[in-house]
Coordinates of all heavy atoms in Angstrom, one line a residue:
I19 N 0.9 -1.2 0.0 CA 0.0 0.0 0.0 C 0.9 1.2 0.0 O 1.7 1.4 0.9 CB -0.9 0.0 1.2 CG1 -1.8 -1.3 1.2 CG2 -1.8 1.3 1.2 CD1 -2.6 -1.4 2.5
R20 N 0.8 2.1 -1.0 CA 1.6 3.3 -1.1 C 0.8 4.5 -0.8 O -0.4 4.6 -1.1 CB 2.1 3.4 -2.6 CG 3.0 2.3 -3.0 CD 3.5 2.5 -4.4 NE 4.2 1.3 -4.8 CZ 4.5 1.0 -6.0 NH1 4.1 1.8 -7.0 NH2 5.1 -0.1 -6.3
Y21 N 1.4 5.5 -0.2 CA 0.8 6.7 0.1 C 1.8 7.8 0.2 O 3.0 7.6 0.5 CB -0.1 6.6 1.4 CG 0.7 6.3 2.7 CD1 1.2 7.3 3.5 CD2 1.0 5.0 3.0 CE1 1.9 7.0 4.7 CE2 1.7 4.7 4.2 CZ 2.2 5.7 5.0 OH 2.9 5.4 6.1
D22 N 1.4 9.1 0.0 CA 2.3 10.2 0.1 C 1.8 11.1 1.2 O 0.6 11.2 1.5 CB 2.2 11.1 -1.2 CG 2.7 10.3 -2.4 OD1 3.7 9.6 -2.3 OD2 2.1 10.4 -3.5
V23 N 2.8 11.7 1.9 CA 2.5 12.6 3.0 C 3.0 14.0 2.6 O 4.2 14.2 2.4 CB 3.3 12.1 4.3 CG1 3.1 13.1 5.4 CG2 2.9 10.7 4.7
P24 N 2.1 15.0 2.4 CA 2.4 16.3 2.0 C 3.1 17.2 3.0 O 3.7 18.2 2.7 CB 1.1 16.9 1.5 CG 0.1 16.2 2.3 CD 0.6 14.8 2.6
K25 N 2.8 16.9 4.3 CA 3.4 17.6 5.4 C 3.5 16.7 6.6 O 2.9 15.7 6.7 CB 2.5 18.8 5.8 CG 1.1 18.5 6.3 CD 0.3 19.7 6.6 CE -1.1 19.2 7.2 NZ -1.9 20.3 7.7
K26 N 4.3 17.1 7.6 CA 4.5 16.3 8.8 C 3.2 16.2 9.5 O 2.6 17.2 9.8 CB 5.6 16.9 9.7 CG 5.8 16.1 10.9 CD 6.8 16.8 11.8 CE 6.9 16.1 13.2 NZ 7.7 16.7 14.1
T27 N 2.7 14.9 9.7 CA 1.4 14.7 10.3 C 1.3 13.3 10.9 O 2.2 12.4 10.6 CB 0.3 15.0 9.3 OG1 -0.9 15.0 9.9 CG2 0.3 13.9 8.2
H28 N 0.3 13.1 11.7 CA 0.0 11.7 12.2 C -0.7 10.9 11.2 O -1.7 11.4 10.6 CB -0.8 11.8 13.5 CG -0.9 10.5 14.2 ND1 0.1 10.0 15.0 CD2 -1.9 9.6 14.2 CE1 -0.3 8.8 15.5 NE2 -1.5 8.6 15.0
I29 N -0.3 9.7 11.0 CA -0.9 8.8 10.0 C -1.4 7.5 10.7 O -0.7 7.0 11.5 CB 0.2 8.4 8.9 CG1 0.8 9.6 8.2 CG2 -0.4 7.3 7.9 CD1 -0.2 10.3 7.3
Q30 N -2.6 7.1 10.3 CA -3.1 5.8 10.7 C -3.5 5.0 9.4 O -4.2 5.6 8.6 CB -4.3 5.9 11.6 CG -4.0 6.4 13.0 CD -5.3 6.5 13.8 OE1 -6.4 6.5 13.3 NE2 -5.1 6.4 15.1
L31 N -3.0 3.8 9.3 CA -3.4 2.9 8.2 C -3.8 1.6 8.7 O -3.0 0.9 9.4 CB -2.2 2.8 7.2 CG -2.4 1.9 6.0 CD1 -3.5 2.4 5.1 CD2 -1.1 1.8 5.2
S32 N -5.0 1.2 8.5 CA -5.6 0.0 9.0 C -6.2 -0.9 7.9 O -6.7 -0.3 6.9 CB -6.6 0.3 10.1 OG -6.1 1.0 11.1
V33 N -6.3 -2.2 8.2 CA -7.0 -3.1 7.2 C -8.2 -3.7 8.0 O -8.1 -4.1 9.1 CB -6.0 -4.2 6.8 CG1 -6.8 -5.2 5.9 CG2 -4.8 -3.6 6.0
F34 N -9.3 -3.7 7.2 CA -10.6 -4.2 7.8 C -11.2 -5.3 6.9 O -10.9 -5.3 5.7 CB -11.6 -3.1 7.9 CG -11.2 -1.9 8.8 CD1 -10.4 -0.9 8.3 CD2 -11.6 -1.9 10.1 CE1 -10.0 0.1 9.1 CE2 -11.2 -0.9 10.9 CZ -10.4 0.2 10.4
N35 N -12.0 -6.2 7.6 CA -12.7 -7.2 6.8 C -14.0 -6.6 6.3 O -14.3 -5.4 6.7 CB -12.9 -8.5 7.6 CG -13.7 -8.3 8.8 OD1 -14.4 -7.4 9.0 ND2 -13.6 -9.3 9.7
V36 N -14.8 -7.4 5.6 CA -16.1 -6.8 5.1 C -17.1 -6.5 6.2 O -18.1 -5.8 5.9 CB -16.7 -7.8 4.0 CG1 -15.8 -7.8 2.8 CG2 -17.0 -9.1 4.6
L37 N -16.9 -7.1 7.4 CA -17.8 -6.8 8.5 C -17.4 -5.5 9.2 O -18.1 -5.1 10.2 CB -17.8 -8.0 9.5 CG -18.3 -9.3 8.9 CD1 -18.1 -10.4 9.9 CD2 -19.7 -9.2 8.4
G38 N -16.3 -4.9 8.8 CA -15.9 -3.7 9.5 C -15.0 -3.9 10.7 O -14.6 -3.0 11.4
E39 N -14.5 -5.2 10.9 CA -13.6 -5.5 12.0 C -12.2 -5.2 11.6 O -11.8 -5.6 10.5 CB -13.8 -7.0 12.4 CG -15.2 -7.3 12.8 CD -15.4 -8.9 12.9 OE1 -14.7 -9.6 12.1 OE2 -16.2 -9.3 13.7
E40 N -11.5 -4.5 12.4 CA -10.1 -4.2 12.1 C -9.2 -5.5 12.2 O -9.2 -6.2 13.2 CB -9.5 -3.2 13.1 CG -8.1 -2.7 12.8 CD -7.6 -1.6 13.7 OE1 -8.3 -0.6 13.8 OE2 -6.6 -1.9 14.3
I41 N -8.6 -5.8 11.1 CA -7.7 -7.0 11.0 C -6.3 -6.7 11.5 O -5.7 -7.4 12.3 CB -7.6 -7.5 9.6 CG1 -9.0 -7.8 9.0 CG2 -6.7 -8.7 9.4 CD1 -9.7 -8.9 9.8
K42 N -5.8 -5.5 11.1 CA -4.4 -5.1 11.4 C -4.2 -3.6 11.3 O -4.7 -3.0 10.4 CB -3.5 -5.8 10.4 CG -2.0 -5.6 10.5 CD -1.4 -6.5 11.5 CE 0.1 -6.3 11.5 NZ 0.8 -6.9 12.6
M43 N -3.5 -3.1 12.3 CA -3.1 -1.7 12.2 C -1.7 -1.7 11.7 O -0.8 -2.2 12.3 CB -3.1 -1.0 13.6 CG -2.5 0.3 13.7 SD -3.5 1.6 13.0 CE -4.8 1.8 14.2
L44 N -1.5 -1.1 10.5 CA -0.2 -1.2 9.8 C 0.7 0.0 10.2 O 1.9 -0.1 10.3 CB -0.4 -1.2 8.3 CG -1.2 -2.4 7.7 CD1 -1.5 -2.2 6.3 CD2 -0.5 -3.7 8.0
V45 N 0.1 1.2 10.3 CA 0.8 2.4 10.6 C 0.0 3.2 11.6 O -1.2 3.4 11.5 CB 1.1 3.3 9.4 CG1 1.8 4.6 9.8 CG2 1.8 2.5 8.3
N46 N 0.7 3.7 12.7 CA 0.0 4.6 13.7 C 1.1 5.4 14.3 O 1.5 5.2 15.4 CB -0.7 3.8 14.7 CG -1.5 4.7 15.7 OD1 -1.8 5.8 15.4 ND2 -1.9 4.1 16.8
E47 N 1.6 6.4 13.5 CA 2.7 7.2 13.9 C 2.8 8.5 13.2 O 2.2 8.7 12.1 CB 4.0 6.4 13.8 CG 4.4 6.0 12.4 CD 5.6 5.1 12.3 OE1 5.9 4.4 13.4 OE2 6.1 4.9 11.3
E48 N 3.7 9.4 13.6 CA 4.0 10.6 13.0 C 4.9 10.4 11.8 O 5.9 9.6 11.9 CB 4.7 11.6 14.0 CG 4.9 13.0 13.5 CD 3.7 13.8 14.0 OE1 2.8 13.4 14.7 OE2 3.7 15.0 13.6
K49 N 4.6 10.9 10.6 CA 5.4 10.7 9.4 C 5.8 12.1 8.9 O 5.0 13.1 9.0 CB 4.6 10.0 8.3 CG 4.3 8.5 8.7 CD 5.5 7.7 8.5 CE 5.2 6.2 8.7 NZ 6.4 5.4 8.6
Y50 N 7.0 12.1 8.3 CA 7.5 13.3 7.7 C 7.1 13.3 6.2 O 6.6 12.3 5.6 CB 9.0 13.4 7.8 CG 9.4 13.7 9.2 CD1 9.8 12.6 10.1 CD2 9.5 14.9 9.8 CE1 10.1 12.8 11.4 CE2 9.8 15.1 11.1 CZ 10.2 14.1 11.9 OH 10.5 14.3 13.2
V51 N 7.3 14.5 5.5 CA 7.0 14.6 4.1 C 7.7 13.5 3.3 O 8.9 13.3 3.5 CB 7.4 16.0 3.6 CG1 7.2 16.2 2.1 CG2 6.6 17.1 4.4
G52 N 7.0 12.9 2.4 CA 7.6 11.9 1.5 C 6.6 10.9 1.0 O 5.4 10.9 1.3
S53 N 7.1 9.9 0.3 CA 6.3 8.8 -0.2 C 6.7 7.6 0.6 O 7.8 7.3 0.9 CB 6.6 8.5 -1.7 OG 6.2 9.6 -2.4
Y54 N 5.7 6.8 1.0 CA 5.9 5.6 1.8 C 5.2 4.4 1.2 O 4.2 4.6 0.4 CB 5.3 5.8 3.2 CG 6.0 6.9 4.0 CD1 5.6 8.2 3.9 CD2 7.1 6.6 4.8 CE1 6.2 9.2 4.6 CE2 7.7 7.6 5.5 CZ 7.3 8.9 5.4 OH 7.9 9.9 6.1
E55 N 5.6 3.2 1.5 CA 5.0 2.0 1.1 C 5.0 1.0 2.2 O 6.0 0.8 2.9 CB 5.8 1.4 -0.1 CG 5.1 0.1 -0.7 CD 5.8 -0.4 -1.9 OE1 6.4 0.4 -2.6 OE2 5.7 -1.6 -2.1
V56 N 3.9 0.4 2.5 CA 3.7 -0.6 3.6 C 3.4 -2.0 3.0 O 2.5 -2.1 2.1 CB 2.6 -0.1 4.5 CG1 2.4 -1.2 5.6 CG2 2.9 1.2 5.1
Q57 N 4.1 -3.0 3.4 CA 3.8 -4.4 3.0 C 2.8 -4.9 4.0 O 2.9 -4.8 5.2 CB 5.1 -5.2 3.0 CG 6.1 -4.7 2.1 CD 5.7 -4.9 0.6 OE1 5.1 -5.9 0.3 NE2 6.1 -4.0 -0.2
F58 N 1.7 -5.5 3.4 CA 0.7 -6.2 4.2 C 0.8 -7.7 4.0 O 0.5 -8.2 3.0 CB -0.7 -5.7 3.8 CG -1.8 -6.4 4.5 CD1 -1.9 -6.5 5.8 CD2 -2.9 -6.9 3.7 CE1 -3.0 -7.1 6.4 CE2 -3.9 -7.6 4.3 CZ -4.0 -7.6 5.7
N59 N 1.1 -8.4 5.1 CA 1.3 -9.9 5.0 C -0.1 -10.5 5.3 O -0.6 -10.4 6.5 CB 2.3 -10.3 6.1 CG 2.5 -11.8 6.0 OD1 1.9 -12.5 5.3 ND2 3.5 -12.3 6.8
A60 N -0.7 -11.0 4.3 CA -2.0 -11.6 4.4 C -2.0 -13.2 4.4 O -2.9 -13.8 4.0 CB -2.9 -11.1 3.3
A61 N -0.8 -13.7 4.8 CA -0.7 -15.2 4.7 C -1.7 -16.0 5.5 O -2.1 -17.1 5.1 CB 0.8 -15.6 5.1
N62 N -2.1 -15.4 6.6 CA -3.0 -16.1 7.5 C -4.5 -15.8 7.3 O -5.4 -16.2 8.0 CB -2.7 -15.9 9.0 CG -2.8 -14.4 9.3 OD1 -2.8 -13.5 8.4 ND2 -2.8 -14.1 10.6
L63 N -4.8 -15.0 6.2 CA -6.2 -14.6 5.9 C -6.7 -15.4 4.7 O -6.0 -15.7 3.8 CB -6.2 -13.1 5.6 CG -5.8 -12.2 6.7 CD1 -5.8 -10.7 6.2 CD2 -6.8 -12.3 7.9
P64 N -8.0 -15.6 4.7 CA -8.6 -16.3 3.6 C -8.8 -15.3 2.4 O -8.8 -14.1 2.6 CB -10.0 -16.7 4.1 CG -10.3 -15.8 5.2 CD -9.0 -15.4 5.8
S65 N -9.0 -15.8 1.2 CA -9.3 -15.0 0.0 C -10.6 -14.2 0.2 O -11.5 -14.7 0.9 CB -9.4 -15.9 -1.2 OG -8.2 -16.5 -1.5
G66 N -10.6 -13.1 -0.4 CA -11.9 -12.3 -0.2 C -11.6 -10.8 -0.3 O -10.5 -10.4 -0.6
A67 N -12.6 -10.0 -0.1 CA -12.5 -8.6 -0.1 C -12.1 -8.0 1.3 O -12.6 -8.5 2.3 CB -13.8 -8.0 -0.5
Y68 N -11.3 -7.1 1.2 CA -10.8 -6.3 2.4 C -10.8 -4.9 2.1 O -10.8 -4.5 1.0 CB -9.4 -6.8 2.9 CG -9.4 -8.3 3.4 CD1 -9.2 -9.3 2.5 CD2 -9.7 -8.6 4.7 CE1 -9.3 -10.6 2.9 CE2 -9.7 -9.9 5.1 CZ -9.5 -10.9 4.2 OH -9.6 -12.2 4.6
Y69 N -10.7 -4.1 3.1 CA -10.6 -2.6 3.0 C -9.5 -2.1 3.8 O -9.1 -2.6 4.8 CB -11.9 -2.0 3.5 CG -13.1 -2.4 2.7 CD1 -13.9 -3.5 3.0 CD2 -13.5 -1.6 1.6 CE1 -15.0 -3.9 2.3 CE2 -14.6 -2.0 0.8 CZ -15.3 -3.1 1.2 OH -16.4 -3.5 0.5
Y70 N -8.8 -1.1 3.2 CA -7.8 -0.4 4.0 C -8.2 1.1 4.2 O -8.8 1.7 3.3 CB -6.4 -0.5 3.5 CG -6.2 0.1 2.1 CD1 -5.7 1.4 1.9 CD2 -6.3 -0.7 1.0 CE1 -5.5 1.9 0.7 CE2 -6.1 -0.2 -0.3 CZ -5.7 1.1 -0.4 OH -5.4 1.6 -1.7
R71 N -8.0 1.7 5.3 CA -8.3 3.0 5.6 C -7.1 3.8 6.0 O -6.4 3.4 7.0 CB -9.4 3.1 6.7 CG -9.9 4.6 7.0 CD -11.0 4.6 7.9 NE -10.6 4.1 9.2 CZ -11.4 3.9 10.2 NH1 -12.7 4.1 10.1 NH2 -11.0 3.5 11.3
L72 N -6.9 4.9 5.3 CA -5.8 5.8 5.7 C -6.4 7.1 6.3 O -7.2 7.7 5.7 CB -5.0 6.2 4.4 CG -3.9 7.2 4.5 CD1 -2.8 6.6 5.4 CD2 -3.4 7.6 3.1
V73 N -6.0 7.4 7.5 CA -6.5 8.6 8.2 C -5.3 9.6 8.4 O -4.3 9.2 8.9 CB -7.0 8.2 9.6 CG1 -7.5 9.5 10.3 CG2 -8.2 7.2 9.5
V74 N -5.5 10.8 7.8 CA -4.5 11.8 7.9 C -5.2 13.0 8.5 O -6.1 13.5 7.9 CB -3.9 12.2 6.4 CG1 -2.9 13.3 6.5 CG2 -3.4 11.0 5.8
D75 N -4.7 13.4 9.6 CA -5.3 14.5 10.4 C -6.8 14.1 10.6 O -7.1 13.1 11.2 CB -5.2 15.9 9.7 CG -3.8 16.4 9.7 OD1 -3.1 16.1 10.7 OD2 -3.4 17.1 8.8
R76 N -7.7 14.8 10.0 CA -9.2 14.5 10.2 C -9.8 14.0 8.9 O -11.0 13.9 8.8 CB -9.9 15.8 10.7 CG -9.6 16.1 12.1 CD -10.2 17.4 12.5 NE -9.2 18.4 12.3 CZ -9.4 19.7 12.0 NH1 -10.6 20.1 11.8 NH2 -8.4 20.5 11.8
T77 N -9.0 13.6 8.0 CA -9.5 13.1 6.7 C -9.2 11.6 6.6 O -8.1 11.2 6.8 CB -8.8 13.8 5.5 OG1 -9.0 15.2 5.6 CG2 -9.3 13.4 4.2
A78 N -10.2 10.9 6.2 CA -10.1 9.4 6.0 C -10.4 9.0 4.6 O -11.3 9.5 4.0 CB -11.0 8.7 7.0
I79 N -9.5 8.1 4.1 CA -9.7 7.6 2.7 C -9.8 6.1 2.9 O -8.9 5.4 3.5 CB -8.5 8.0 1.8 CG1 -8.4 9.5 1.7 CG2 -8.7 7.3 0.4 CD1 -7.1 9.9 1.1
T80 N -10.8 5.5 2.3 CA -11.0 4.0 2.4 C -11.0 3.5 1.0 O -11.7 4.0 0.1 CB -12.3 3.7 3.1 OG1 -12.3 4.3 4.4 CG2 -12.5 2.2 3.2
R81 N -10.3 2.4 0.8 CA -10.2 1.7 -0.5 C -10.4 0.2 -0.3 O -10.1 -0.4 0.7 CB -8.9 1.9 -1.2 CG -8.6 3.4 -1.6 CD -9.4 3.8 -2.7 NE -9.1 5.2 -3.1 CZ -9.8 6.3 -2.8 NH1 -10.8 6.2 -2.0 NH2 -9.4 7.5 -3.2
R82 N -11.0 -0.4 -1.4 CA -11.2 -1.9 -1.4 C -10.0 -2.6 -2.0 O -9.4 -2.1 -3.0 CB -12.5 -2.2 -2.1 CG -12.9 -3.6 -2.1 CD -14.2 -3.8 -2.9 NE -14.5 -5.2 -2.8 CZ -15.3 -5.8 -3.7 NH1 -15.9 -5.1 -4.6 NH2 -15.6 -7.0 -3.6
M83 N -9.7 -3.8 -1.5 CA -8.7 -4.6 -2.1 C -9.2 -6.1 -2.1 O -9.9 -6.5 -1.2 CB -7.3 -4.4 -1.5 CG -7.3 -4.8 0.0 SD -5.6 -4.5 0.6 CE -5.9 -4.7 2.3
L84 N -8.8 -6.8 -3.1 CA -9.1 -8.2 -3.2 C -7.9 -9.1 -2.9 O -6.8 -8.8 -3.4 CB -9.7 -8.6 -4.6 CG -11.0 -8.0 -4.9 CD1 -11.3 -8.3 -6.4 CD2 -12.1 -8.5 -4.0
L85 N -8.1 -10.1 -2.1 CA -7.0 -11.0 -1.8 C -7.3 -12.3 -2.4 O -8.4 -12.9 -2.2 CB -6.9 -11.2 -0.2 CG -5.9 -12.2 0.2 CD1 -4.5 -11.8 -0.2 CD2 -6.0 -12.4 1.7
L86 N -6.5 -12.7 -3.4 CA -6.6 -14.0 -4.1 C -5.5 -14.9 -3.8 O -4.3 -14.5 -3.8 CB -6.7 -13.7 -5.6 CG -7.8 -12.8 -6.1 CD1 -7.6 -12.5 -7.6 CD2 -9.1 -13.3 -5.8
K87 N -5.8 -16.1 -3.4 CA -4.7 -17.1 -3.1 C -4.8 -18.3 -4.1 O -5.8 -18.6 -4.6 CB -4.9 -17.6 -1.7 CG -4.6 -16.5 -0.7 CD -4.5 -17.1 0.7 CE -4.0 -16.0 1.7 NZ -3.9 -16.5 3.0

C-alpha cells in the first residue's frame, strides 16, 4: 500500500474485513513529508474482499482490495 505525506502529520493505516472489523493496524505514527510503502502480510487470511483506511489529520480515505490465493 503506497501513500504520500504532503506535510509532517500523524498517519493511521488499518486493514478491515467486510464486516468492518479491524484486522491489522499497519501504521500509527507521525510521518514526515515523503512517499511511503507498507507491506501487508495476508498469509493467514482467507481469500476475499478487504478494505484499508488511511487517516491523515481529520481526513479518512477508504479503498477496497481483493486477496486472491
